[in-house]
Amino acid sequence: MSKRIGKSLVVNGATLVTEARWNAELDEKHERLVAWMREEGLAGVLIRRNENVAWLTGGAVELRVLTPSETGVASLLVSATGKRYYFTTENEAPRLHDEEFGALDFEPVIFPWYADNTVDAAAHAAGGPLGSDTPAAGATLVNLYPLRTALGEAEIARYRWLGAETAAATVEALNQVEPGLSEHDLEAITAAGLLRRGILPSVYLYAVDGRILKYKHAAARGARLKEYGMLNLCARKWGLAMSITRFVHFGAMPGGLIERFHAAAQVNAALLDATRVGATSAELFHVAQAAYAAEGYPGEEQFHHQGGPTGYWEREWIATPTGTETVVNNQAFAWNPSIRGGKAEDTVLLRDGKIEILTSTADLPIIEATANGRSYPAAGVLVK
């Protein structure tokens, strides 16, 4: 197989993924995609969604300009014969060559900014039935998630770095929180720490005091902190998504809140212990349901989803009572059980039957939760 990328992934002067390892990742993904196309009877697939572009290019290409958009400023085409193209406009082409595709073996197809002809050009280049991960005239809509479910070695290396740095930025922000700051201040403090690290915040659910107890998804609305603050965030780099929630309390915590944190940690432990290859979405939902009941909070699972696998999307699917999706090896998860102000949320990796916490924060209090005799620590509240 020919070389797919001409560089190593270097972060802050350290090599995170060698050129050989990166090439191996990209070759394997290319082969997997081509084999899938042939099985589906497709001559080519047009890839426009940011998560799929990041997956196929091993995180080497970032096409976002409008952050919330599901697509970026270029599209990829891979043909069943193995040819690879990127389509973009003349105004974007120089930077994309220099900073995104220059080390990759994709052939550029360039249009004037006012005459983008990507779909027709992709259909012509494919020379037969075309699939697309976004709706496109004459193309079959395809879902590439099954191809990106399990993480490879190079992806895991990137994910570990992202987990550690996201956790560090969260702790850094938590230590700066003080009474009188607004929920928007908490957002700004965390965003600054993430952006300094080259990490893009993607979800902010920041709340203080009574809003934490009242709302499960408490988007910041500017309330000012008195005693209790929550930093609930997701962040992205190389297309990979990371989730973490941490709390700070000024003064002694109420006994009831302490109890609910311990109960949420136990539900989290039950979910992590049940996250095993072959487990279904429905089975995991019922594990959470039973764990809430065992902790004295029956029905708590009805008030909010419990999380699920992550990777190139903040949640690739969530556990539901009838869900048929199944767990695979080398898959990342972010469970988020919560009980009236108490919550546990980290991003973890299931690897060969073991759970690895990617967002561990050893400097913060730890709740030692267990399930089936195995320990699954959860973060406690930082009390100041």
Side-chain angles (χ1 to χ4, degrees), residues 46 48 73-75 86-94 108-123:
L46 181 62
R48 312 186 89 168
V73 294
S75 305
Y86 69 94
F87 302 86
T88 193
T89 55
E90 290 175 347
N91 57 308
E92 299 290 350
V109 179
I110 301 170
F111 312 100
W113 64 264
Y114 52 83
D116 188 327
N117 193 32
T118 293
V119 176
D120 289 343

Side-chain angles (χ1 to χ4, degrees), residues 2-124:
S2 62
K3 184 171 67 174
R4 298 288 173 189
I5 193 166
K7 62 180 181 180
S8 298
L9 178 59
V10 179
V11 182
N12 298 328
T15 299
L16 190 60
V17 179
T18 65
E19 181 177 337
R21 195 179 194 187
W22 216 353
N23 281 320
E25 174 191 2
L26 301 185
D27 285 347
E28 190 278 329
K29 288 177 175 178
H30 176 83
E31 292 172 356
R32 198 187 325 166
L33 180 61
V34 169
W36 173 84
M37 278 191 282
R38 291 172 178 166
E39 290 174 0
E40 297 294 317
L42 296 172
V45 62
L46 181 62
I47 300 174
R48 312 186 89 168
R49 293 185 63 92
N50 289 317
E51 66 269 25
N52 292 329
V53 170
W55 169 76
L56 183 65
T57 64
V61 173
E62 174 57 83
L63 297 177
R64 293 175 189 269
V65 172
L66 174 63
T67 300
S69 177
E70 67 181 21
T71 60
V73 294
S75 305
L76 310 184
L77 174 72
V78 179
S79 76
T81 61
K83 294 183 178 179
R84 294 144 59 96
Y85 305 86
Y86 69 94
F87 302 86
T88 193
T89 55
E90 290 175 347
N91 57 308
E92 299 290 350
R95 187 190 68 80
L96 291 182
H97 173 271
D98 293 345
E99 299 181 344
E100 306 294 340
F101 290 100
L104 291 160
D105 62 351
F106 284 76
E107 180 181 335
V109 179
I110 301 170
F111 312 100
W113 64 264
Y114 52 83
D116 188 327
N117 193 32
T118 293
V119 176
D120 289 343
H124 177 76

Side-chain angles (χ1 to χ4, degrees), residues 55 87 126 133 186 188 244 262 270 300 303 335 363 368 381 383:
W55 169 76
F87 302 86
D133 65 354
L186 305 191
I244 184 174
H262 281 268
E300 195 72 27
F303 301 126
W335 298 112
D363 293 338
E368 296 293 346
V381 179
V383 178

